[in-house]
């Protein structure tokens, strides 16, 4: 390998190493305590970004997501528990803010619907098969024909 190729390869590696920071979503300084930083990251992955509904606030770089991350950071720094933070967000934005919603009486049907639909489908198939079997049995054993006694 000649010197210009080696130099180009080195520059490319350095640029790629620096590109990771350029694409970072959360630009806030990390907590000094690794346990607090882990809590912060876990909570951010549990909260849905309300504008882009298929993203967590950890995945979005929108201004609202930045504000929500800042709010979470401040509550952790203030000594709030994870449950306190979740309750605050639920009170403010509703259950939809949770990326994995909790089961409540209000959304029980959403949780139960797959099982109920599966049971209803199995019942419909069972009845259809029994009806087909009964009709096939009637065709195999005809009753006395008219005129025969």
């Amino acid at each position: 390998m000649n010197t210009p190729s080696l130099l180009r390869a080195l520059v490319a590696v350095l640029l790629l190493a620096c590109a990771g920071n350029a694409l970072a979503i959360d630009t806030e300084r990390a907590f000094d305590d690794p346990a607090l930083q882990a809590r912060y990251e876990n909570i951010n992955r549990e909260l849905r970004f309300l504008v882009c509904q298929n993203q967590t606030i950890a995945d979005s770089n929108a201004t609202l997501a930045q504000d929500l991350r800042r709010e979470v950071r401040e509550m952790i720094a203030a000594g709030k528990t994870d449950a306190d933070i979740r309750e605050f967000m639920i009170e403010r934005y509703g259950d939809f803010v949770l990326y994995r919603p909790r089961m409540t009486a209000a959304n029980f049907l959403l949780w139960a619907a797959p099982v109920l639909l599966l049971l209803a489908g199995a019942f419909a198939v069972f009845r259809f098969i029994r009806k087909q079997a009964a009709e096939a049995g009637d065709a195999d054993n005809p009753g006395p024909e008219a005129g025969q006694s």
Side-chain angles (χ1 to χ4, degrees), residues 3-147:
T3 305
S5 297
L6 183 61
L7 186 59
R8 272 188 249 137
L10 182 61
V11 168
V13 167
L14 288 173
L15 287 174
L16 285 174
C18 294
N21 291 336
L23 297 174
I25 291 175
D26 192 359
T27 58
E28 293 288 325
R29 189 174 80 79
F31 283 99
D32 293 332
D33 183 2
L36 291 178
Q37 184 64 28
R39 280 184 56 210
Y40 171 74
E41 291 171 6
N42 284 335
I43 292 171
N44 285 344
R45 283 191 299 269
E46 292 176 6
L47 297 175
R48 180 185 314 272
F49 181 51
L50 300 169
V51 177
C52 299
Q53 297 175 4
N54 219 12
Q55 287 184 326
T56 63
I57 63 172
D59 297 332
S60 177
N61 60 355
T63 306
L64 177 59
Q66 292 171 1
D67 291 344
L68 291 172
R69 286 193 302 266
R70 182 181 38 74
E71 188 79 30
V72 169
R73 176 179 292 283
E74 289 172 1
M75 286 190 276
I76 288 175
K80 301 283 186 182
T81 66
D82 293 2
D84 291 339
I85 295 169
R86 279 187 214 96
E87 283 302 315
F88 172 81
M89 292 294 184
I90 290 169
E91 286 175 14
R92 195 170 199 185
Y93 300 106
D95 277 335
F96 189 71
V97 75
L98 297 177
Y99 205 70
R100 285 178 227 100
R102 58 190 178 171
M103 188 185 311
T104 62
N107 65 12
F108 175 75
L109 185 60
L110 292 174
W111 286 97
V115 174
L116 294 174
L117 289 172
L118 182 65
L119 290 174
F123 179 72
V125 167
F126 177 75
R127 292 224 19 208
F128 178 76
I129 291 172
R130 282 193 60 189
K131 183 179 178 183
Q132 293 296 325
E135 288 176 3
D138 289 345
D140 290 345
N141 298 324
E145 294 180 352

